[in-house]
Amino acid sequence: MYFEEIPCYTLFEEVEQTVTKTVLSVCDTAEFLGSDIYGLKDIYDLYGTQYEDIIPALLYCRQEENDNGMRGTLFRFQLTEPLKRHILDESLTCMFGGEPPLLENLALFQGEKCLFSCVSHEVFSLYHMAEVDDSLKDAVLSAVNDTIQKMPLFRQMQKIASGLKEKPKAELKQELRILHDLCWYVDEAVHYYFYMKPSQPCDFLKFRQIAQNYLTEDTYSVLISLNGFADLQPLPVPKTTGEMICKREKFAPQYLQSEYYRQVQRELGMLEYIMGS
């Protein structure tokens, strides 16, 4: 089961934690890769780091090249409580140690059966680079559904979903696409040096009219006093590649990373979950 089958995984920390706990609960060992180029070479190099408490859990290590062509040392650990805590703190798709990472590409085992694996450095391909064994699919999805349906936002979006039941599916799909593209409308308006072209033209007034039917009152209220997409990003942004490379610290990050955009995505994701989109 790829992570794209897990509802709202990338949207809510609660869902991510639920998946992590469910998988960890049935595993007994863990394996990480220390890349030949930049990763961990010797387990004792973890002394003095926040991960030194997993040193006693080491079972063995071996040199290997994986299916993705990465060569390095594979470190196999007993899945002790300290190691579980690190994974819970940093997620199943974590990389221990920052940039460059010391340990990456977590795999989890029950005996010798691999129940989870990922290529964590492929951050742009998360859905297809992280996989849970199909034997855990029902347990994971059941736990995730239970978690989502207990969230306050679930109840809020249920009310909104009930008001959209009569809307034609084609119109619903089109309007959701427009709302999902908010980051690109903003980047286009502020002339960000690189952005995706929105899927269809939409001025701010139309966007705001659509948003009123799909977003919670608090989230929608942010849009009421604004005159255009550019007002959502008042800080300077890089408008050329040179500005991006040489003066990155002087500019705001791409709107894709803003908290408001994330909240919009959380609400839309929850709405789509409820409506079965």
Side-chain angles (χ1 to χ4, degrees):
M1 177 179 69
Y2 289 112
F3 273 33
E4 64 185 353
E5 300 175 61
I6 302 175
C8 302
Y9 180 83
T10 60
L11 297 175
F12 299 103
E13 184 178 343
E14 298 95 322
V15 173
E16 181 184 296
Q17 284 280 297
T18 292
V19 174
T20 302
K21 289 176 181 177
T22 303
V23 176
L24 287 177
S25 70
V26 295
C27 295
D28 48 35
T29 61
E31 196 168 79
F32 285 95
L33 174 73
S35 168
D36 269 353
I37 301 173
Y38 50 75
L40 186 71
K41 305 297 189 299
D42 190 311
I43 191 64
Y44 296 108
D45 289 340
L46 292 181
Y47 276 122
T49 74
Q50 62 180 310
Y51 309 110
E52 65 180 9
D53 55 0
I54 71 172
I55 293 174
L58 181 70
L59 296 172
Y60 59 83
C61 56
R62 67 182 188 276
Q63 287 293 120
E64 191 164 302
E65 179 175 349
N66 67 17
D67 294 338
N68 296 285
M70 291 186 68
R71 293 182 56 84
T73 303
L74 287 172
F75 295 86
R76 178 71 72 94
F77 297 92
Q78 194 71 38
L79 194 56
T80 58
E81 289 306 313
L83 181 50
K84 286 182 181 180
R85 283 196 298 271
H86 286 300
I87 295 171
L88 282 166
D89 286 345
E90 303 189 37
S91 85
L92 284 173
T93 53
C94 65
M95 295 187 286
F96 285 2
E99 297 180 7
L102 295 170
L103 295 169
E104 58 189 314
N105 296 1
L106 173 65
L108 292 167
F109 298 82
Q110 183 184 69
E112 288 305 309
K113 182 178 182 179
C114 183
L115 295 181
F116 169 81
S117 63
C118 72
V119 184
S120 53
H121 72 280
E122 296 285 357
V123 293
F124 296 111
S125 303
L126 170 65
Y127 280 162
H128 294 294
M129 293 294 183
E131 186 175 6
V132 175
D133 188 79
D134 284 343
S135 64
L136 295 182
K137 182 173 182 176
D138 289 345
V140 168
L141 293 180
S142 176
V144 165
N145 287 330
D146 185 59
T147 295
I148 292 173
Q149 292 168 25
K150 289 179 179 177
M151 295 170 65
L153 183 60
F154 178 80
R155 292 188 291 276
Q156 290 179 280
M157 300 313 295
Q158 269 188 319
K159 295 178 181 178
I160 292 174
S162 66
L164 297 170
K165 286 181 179 178
E166 304 305 317
K167 190 177 285 287
K169 287 187 177 181
E171 183 181 351
L172 185 71
K173 182 178 180 180
Q174 180 186 50
E175 292 183 339
L176 283 168
R177 184 65 267 161
I178 287 172
L179 296 176
H180 276 299
D181 281 353
L182 173 61
C183 59
W184 309 129
Y185 292 117
V186 172
D187 285 350
E188 184 178 46
V190 299
H191 306 294
Y192 196 85
Y193 86 102
F194 173 80
Y195 65 91
M196 289 278 288
K197 192 75 175 174
S199 59
Q200 54 192 296
C202 180
D203 61 35
F204 184 71
L205 179 59
K206 179 181 177 181
F207 183 93
R208 193 166 60 188
Q209 289 171 340
I210 294 171
Q212 188 171 14
N213 296 319
Y214 288 82
L215 303 179
T216 63
E217 185 176 346
D218 285 348
T219 301
Y220 171 72
S221 67
V222 172
L223 304 173
I224 294 175
S225 62
L226 304 180
N227 295 313
F229 291 115
D231 291 342
L232 284 164
Q233 179 56 287
L235 299 175
V237 299
K239 297 180 180 181
T240 68
T241 304
E243 286 181 341
M244 181 63 185
I245 294 172
C246 300
K247 301 178 181 178
R248 186 178 304 177
E249 69 281 356
K250 294 185 178 181
F251 298 110
Q254 192 169 17
Y255 196 69
L256 185 73
Q257 301 176 47
S258 71
E259 179 52 35
Y260 183 75
Y261 177 71
R262 290 192 186 106
Q263 181 58 27
V264 169
Q265 296 308 297
R266 285 190 284 264
E267 293 187 10
L268 297 179
M270 183 68 81
L271 186 62
E272 289 170 327
Y273 169 82
I274 293 166
M275 300 183 76
S277 301

PDB file of all heavy atoms in Angstrom, residues 203-214 220:
ATOM      1  N   ASP A 203     -10.178  35.457 -11.299  1.00  0.00           N
ATOM      2  CA  ASP A 203      -9.812  36.682 -10.590  1.00  0.00           C
ATOM      3  C   ASP A 203     -10.137  36.524  -9.104  1.00  0.00           C
ATOM      4  O   ASP A 203     -10.812  35.577  -8.681  1.00  0.00           O
ATOM      5  CB  ASP A 203     -10.508  37.907 -11.196  1.00  0.00           C
ATOM      6  CG  ASP A 203     -12.030  37.840 -11.121  1.00  0.00           C
ATOM      7  OD1 ASP A 203     -12.576  37.294 -10.133  1.00  0.00           O
ATOM      8  OD2 ASP A 203     -12.686  38.324 -12.056  1.00  0.00           O
ATOM      9  N   PHE A 204      -9.649  37.473  -8.311  1.00  0.00           N
ATOM     10  CA  PHE A 204      -9.757  37.336  -6.857  1.00  0.00           C
ATOM     11  C   PHE A 204     -11.213  37.369  -6.389  1.00  0.00           C
ATOM     12  O   PHE A 204     -11.596  36.630  -5.474  1.00  0.00           O
ATOM     13  CB  PHE A 204      -8.950  38.431  -6.166  1.00  0.00           C
ATOM     14  CG  PHE A 204      -8.929  38.290  -4.663  1.00  0.00           C
ATOM     15  CD1 PHE A 204      -8.209  37.274  -4.064  1.00  0.00           C
ATOM     16  CD2 PHE A 204      -9.649  39.165  -3.860  1.00  0.00           C
ATOM     17  CE1 PHE A 204      -8.202  37.122  -2.665  1.00  0.00           C
ATOM     18  CE2 PHE A 204      -9.647  39.025  -2.479  1.00  0.00           C
ATOM     19  CZ  PHE A 204      -8.914  38.008  -1.887  1.00  0.00           C
ATOM     20  N   LEU A 205     -12.024  38.218  -7.001  1.00  0.00           N
ATOM     21  CA  LEU A 205     -13.424  38.298  -6.591  1.00  0.00           C
ATOM     22  C   LEU A 205     -14.137  36.962  -6.777  1.00  0.00           C
ATOM     23  O   LEU A 205     -14.869  36.497  -5.887  1.00  0.00           O
ATOM     24  CB  LEU A 205     -14.139  39.394  -7.396  1.00  0.00           C
ATOM     25  CG  LEU A 205     -15.634  39.577  -7.086  1.00  0.00           C
ATOM     26  CD1 LEU A 205     -15.847  39.922  -5.621  1.00  0.00           C
ATOM     27  CD2 LEU A 205     -16.235  40.657  -7.994  1.00  0.00           C
ATOM     28  N   LYS A 206     -13.909  36.331  -7.926  1.00  0.00           N
ATOM     29  CA  LYS A 206     -14.530  35.030  -8.172  1.00  0.00           C
ATOM     30  C   LYS A 206     -13.997  33.992  -7.184  1.00  0.00           C
ATOM     31  O   LYS A 206     -14.772  33.178  -6.660  1.00  0.00           O
ATOM     32  CB  LYS A 206     -14.258  34.580  -9.606  1.00  0.00           C
ATOM     33  CG  LYS A 206     -14.854  33.211  -9.932  1.00  0.00           C
ATOM     34  CD  LYS A 206     -14.529  32.793 -11.367  1.00  0.00           C
ATOM     35  CE  LYS A 206     -15.068  31.402 -11.654  1.00  0.00           C
ATOM     36  NZ  LYS A 206     -14.733  30.960 -13.040  1.00  0.00           N
ATOM     37  N   PHE A 207     -12.687  34.023  -6.945  1.00  0.00           N
ATOM     38  CA  PHE A 207     -12.088  33.081  -5.992  1.00  0.00           C
ATOM     39  C   PHE A 207     -12.751  33.230  -4.629  1.00  0.00           C
ATOM     40  O   PHE A 207     -13.106  32.242  -3.979  1.00  0.00           O
ATOM     41  CB  PHE A 207     -10.585  33.329  -5.885  1.00  0.00           C
ATOM     42  CG  PHE A 207      -9.870  32.359  -4.984  1.00  0.00           C
ATOM     43  CD1 PHE A 207      -9.292  31.212  -5.499  1.00  0.00           C
ATOM     44  CD2 PHE A 207      -9.800  32.575  -3.614  1.00  0.00           C
ATOM     45  CE1 PHE A 207      -8.641  30.291  -4.669  1.00  0.00           C
ATOM     46  CE2 PHE A 207      -9.159  31.670  -2.768  1.00  0.00           C
ATOM     47  CZ  PHE A 207      -8.578  30.530  -3.310  1.00  0.00           C
ATOM     48  N   ARG A 208     -12.916  34.462  -4.189  1.00  0.00           N
ATOM     49  CA  ARG A 208     -13.501  34.720  -2.874  1.00  0.00           C
ATOM     50  C   ARG A 208     -14.953  34.241  -2.812  1.00  0.00           C
ATOM     51  O   ARG A 208     -15.395  33.683  -1.799  1.00  0.00           O
ATOM     52  CB  ARG A 208     -13.417  36.217  -2.564  1.00  0.00           C
ATOM     53  CG  ARG A 208     -13.697  36.566  -1.107  1.00  0.00           C
ATOM     54  CD  ARG A 208     -13.266  37.986  -0.813  1.00  0.00           C
ATOM     55  NE  ARG A 208     -13.966  38.958  -1.641  1.00  0.00           N
ATOM     56  CZ  ARG A 208     -13.652  40.251  -1.680  1.00  0.00           C
ATOM     57  NH1 ARG A 208     -12.631  40.719  -0.965  1.00  0.00           N
ATOM     58  NH2 ARG A 208     -14.341  41.081  -2.449  1.00  0.00           N
ATOM     59  N   GLN A 209     -15.690  34.437  -3.897  1.00  0.00           N
ATOM     60  CA  GLN A 209     -17.079  33.979  -3.936  1.00  0.00           C
ATOM     61  C   GLN A 209     -17.162  32.456  -3.824  1.00  0.00           C
ATOM     62  O   GLN A 209     -18.024  31.913  -3.123  1.00  0.00           O
ATOM     63  CB  GLN A 209     -17.741  34.451  -5.229  1.00  0.00           C
ATOM     64  CG  GLN A 209     -17.987  35.953  -5.266  1.00  0.00           C
ATOM     65  CD  GLN A 209     -18.455  36.435  -6.640  1.00  0.00           C
ATOM     66  OE1 GLN A 209     -18.248  35.760  -7.647  1.00  0.00           O
ATOM     67  NE2 GLN A 209     -19.083  37.601  -6.686  1.00  0.00           N
ATOM     68  N   ILE A 210     -16.251  31.770  -4.514  1.00  0.00           N
ATOM     69  CA  ILE A 210     -16.215  30.306  -4.443  1.00  0.00           C
ATOM     70  C   ILE A 210     -15.822  29.855  -3.038  1.00  0.00           C
ATOM     71  O   ILE A 210     -16.450  28.967  -2.450  1.00  0.00           O
ATOM     72  CB  ILE A 210     -15.225  29.738  -5.481  1.00  0.00           C
ATOM     73  CG1 ILE A 210     -15.718  30.016  -6.901  1.00  0.00           C
ATOM     74  CG2 ILE A 210     -15.029  28.232  -5.276  1.00  0.00           C
ATOM     75  CD1 ILE A 210     -14.704  29.693  -7.978  1.00  0.00           C
ATOM     76  N   ALA A 211     -14.795  30.488  -2.491  1.00  0.00           N
ATOM     77  CA  ALA A 211     -14.256  30.084  -1.184  1.00  0.00           C
ATOM     78  C   ALA A 211     -15.300  30.166  -0.083  1.00  0.00           C
ATOM     79  O   ALA A 211     -15.272  29.368   0.873  1.00  0.00           O
ATOM     80  CB  ALA A 211     -13.053  30.958  -0.835  1.00  0.00           C
ATOM     81  N   GLN A 212     -16.232  31.087  -0.184  1.00  0.00           N
ATOM     82  CA  GLN A 212     -17.238  31.263   0.852  1.00  0.00           C
ATOM     83  C   GLN A 212     -18.068  29.999   1.063  1.00  0.00           C
ATOM     84  O   GLN A 212     -18.547  29.734   2.168  1.00  0.00           O
ATOM     85  CB  GLN A 212     -18.155  32.433   0.497  1.00  0.00           C
ATOM     86  CG  GLN A 212     -19.118  32.809   1.617  1.00  0.00           C
ATOM     87  CD  GLN A 212     -19.870  34.096   1.326  1.00  0.00           C
ATOM     88  OE1 GLN A 212     -19.874  34.581   0.192  1.00  0.00           O
ATOM     89  NE2 GLN A 212     -20.496  34.658   2.339  1.00  0.00           N
ATOM     90  N   ASN A 213     -18.226  29.214   0.015  1.00  0.00           N
ATOM     91  CA  ASN A 213     -19.029  27.993   0.117  1.00  0.00           C
ATOM     92  C   ASN A 213     -18.239  26.765   0.553  1.00  0.00           C
ATOM     93  O   ASN A 213     -18.841  25.730   0.853  1.00  0.00           O
ATOM     94  CB  ASN A 213     -19.687  27.700  -1.229  1.00  0.00           C
ATOM     95  CG  ASN A 213     -20.663  28.773  -1.642  1.00  0.00           C
ATOM     96  OD1 ASN A 213     -21.412  29.280  -0.824  1.00  0.00           O
ATOM     97  ND2 ASN A 213     -20.644  29.143  -2.920  1.00  0.00           N
ATOM     98  N   TYR A 214     -16.909  26.875   0.589  1.00  0.00           N
ATOM     99  CA  TYR A 214     -16.082  25.695   0.825  1.00  0.00           C
ATOM    100  C   TYR A 214     -15.232  25.771   2.097  1.00  0.00           C
ATOM    101  O   TYR A 214     -14.832  24.724   2.615  1.00  0.00           O
ATOM    102  CB  TYR A 214     -15.125  25.487  -0.354  1.00  0.00           C
ATOM    103  CG  TYR A 214     -15.790  24.997  -1.617  1.00  0.00           C
ATOM    104  CD1 TYR A 214     -16.426  25.870  -2.484  1.00  0.00           C
ATOM    105  CD2 TYR A 214     -15.784  23.643  -1.947  1.00  0.00           C
ATOM    106  CE1 TYR A 214     -17.032  25.434  -3.651  1.00  0.00           C
ATOM    107  CE2 TYR A 214     -16.387  23.183  -3.117  1.00  0.00           C
ATOM    108  CZ  TYR A 214     -17.014  24.091  -3.961  1.00  0.00           C
ATOM    109  OH  TYR A 214     -17.616  23.636  -5.110  1.00  0.00           O
ATOM    110  N   TYR A 220     -12.255  31.709   5.732  1.00  0.00           N
ATOM    111  CA  TYR A 220     -12.788  32.597   4.702  1.00  0.00           C
ATOM    112  C   TYR A 220     -12.657  34.064   5.096  1.00  0.00           C
ATOM    113  O   TYR A 220     -12.398  34.927   4.249  1.00  0.00           O
ATOM    114  CB  TYR A 220     -14.257  32.266   4.422  1.00  0.00           C
ATOM    115  CG  TYR A 220     -14.921  33.283   3.532  1.00  0.00           C
ATOM    116  CD1 TYR A 220     -14.610  33.360   2.179  1.00  0.00           C
ATOM    117  CD2 TYR A 220     -15.828  34.220   4.058  1.00  0.00           C
ATOM    118  CE1 TYR A 220     -15.188  34.315   1.357  1.00  0.00           C
ATOM    119  CE2 TYR A 220     -16.412  35.173   3.244  1.00  0.00           C
ATOM    120  CZ  TYR A 220     -16.079  35.221   1.896  1.00  0.00           C
ATOM    121  OH  TYR A 220     -16.644  36.179   1.096  1.00  0.00           O
TER     122      TYR A 220
END
